[in-house]
C-alpha cells in the first residue's frame, strides 16, 4: 500500500513538472512576441517618416537611397509616454543593396494625441564601411557629421 501511494505521488509530480515545462516557455514566448509585434507595428507606422529622414540625411552622402525595413531588425525603439504626447526614439541601421548597413542613426519623433508626427531630432551615430564593390555609392566629398 505504501508503495502504491509513493508511485501515485511520483506520477503526479512528474505530470505537474511536464505541464510546467510545456506551459512556461509558451507564456514567455507570447509575452516577447506581443512586445515585438507592438514595436514592429509602431515602426511600420513611422516608416514613411523614417524613410523621409534617411533620404534627407544621406542624399548628399550616397548615390543610392538607403532604406529601412522594420521587419528585418537592426533597430531599437524607446517610448516616453506623456499626457498630451508620446516621444519615440528610434535607432535604425539603414542599408543599401543586399542589406548592407551604411550607418546607425537616432531619430526622435513627437507624436501628439491627434496622431500628428513631427521629427524633433536626427543624430547620425556611426558609419559602417561598405564592401569594396559597393563603395562606389559613397559620394567622395561626403561628410557624415551629425545633422
Amino acid at each position: 500500500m505504501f508503495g502504491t501511494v509513493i508511485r501515485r505521488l511520483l506520477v503526479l509530480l512528474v505530470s505537474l513538472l511536464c505541464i510546467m515545462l510545456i506551459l512556461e516557455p509558451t507564456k514567455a514566448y507570447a509575452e516577447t512576441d506581443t512586445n515585438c509585434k507592438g514595436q514592429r507595428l509602431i515602426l511600420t507606422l513611422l516608416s514613411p517618416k523614417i524613410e523621409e529622414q534617411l533620404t534627407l540625411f544621406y542624399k548628399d552622402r550616397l548615390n543610392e537611397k538607403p532604406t529601412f525595413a522594420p521587419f528585418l531588425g537592426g533597430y531599437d525603439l524607446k517610448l516616453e509616454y506623456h499626457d498630451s504626447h508620446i516621444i519615440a526614439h528610434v535607432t535604425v541601421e539603414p542599408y543599401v543593396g543586399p542589406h548592407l548597413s551604411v550607418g546607425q542613426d537616432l531619430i526622435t519623433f513627437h507624436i501628439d494625441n491627434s496622431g500628428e508626427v513631427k521629427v524633433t531630432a536626427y543624430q547620425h551615430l556611426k558609419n559602417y564601411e561598405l564592401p569594396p564593390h559597393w563603395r562606389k555609392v559613397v559620394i567622395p566629398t561626403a561628410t557624415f557629421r551629425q545633422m
Side-chain angles (χ1 to χ4, degrees):
M1 176 154 170
F2 185 70
T4 306
V5 172
I6 295 289
R7 262 187 265 141
R8 287 184 181 172
L9 281 174
L10 281 174
V11 168
L12 180 64
L13 285 173
V14 169
S15 299
L16 286 173
L17 181 62
C18 288
I19 290 171
M20 287 174 48
L21 290 174
I22 290 169
L23 294 180
E24 188 60 30
T26 304
K27 180 181 174 193
Y29 175 77
E31 290 170 4
T32 303
D33 190 45
T34 301
N35 187 35
C36 289
K37 284 181 181 178
Q39 285 191 354
R40 183 172 168 192
L41 173 65
I42 292 167
L43 289 170
T44 299
L45 293 172
L46 289 174
S47 282
K49 292 284 188 183
I50 293 171
E51 293 277 353
E52 178 183 293
Q53 291 304 304
L54 294 175
T55 298
L56 286 172
F57 181 77
Y58 287 98
K59 72 178 180 180
D60 297 329
R61 295 163 177 85
L62 299 174
N63 290 322
E64 187 168 317
K65 179 181 160 188
T67 192
F68 157 78
F71 53 86
L72 289 177
Y75 64 82
D76 184 37
L77 175 65
K78 292 186 173 86
L79 301 172
E80 297 174 22
Y81 293 93
H82 302 274
D83 290 338
S84 61
H85 63 281
I86 299 170
I87 302 293
H89 304 279
V90 182
T91 304
V92 296
E93 290 189 0
Y95 64 88
V96 294
H99 306 287
L100 301 169
S101 294
V102 295
Q104 188 177 62
D105 303 283
L106 172 63
I107 308 169
T108 303
F109 297 95
H110 178 276
I111 308 164
D112 68 17
N113 286 340
S114 68
E116 185 177 349
V117 179
K118 293 180 183 174
V119 177
T120 58
Y122 188 105
Q123 185 178 9
H124 181 69
L125 302 175
K126 65 173 106 167
N127 298 320
Y128 294 128
E129 192 169 323
L130 292 170
H133 61 285
W134 271 91
R135 291 188 191 142
K136 65 183 182 276
V137 301
V138 177
I139 296 173
T141 59
T143 58
F144 285 89
R145 290 181 306 227
Q146 294 180 4
M147 207 167 130

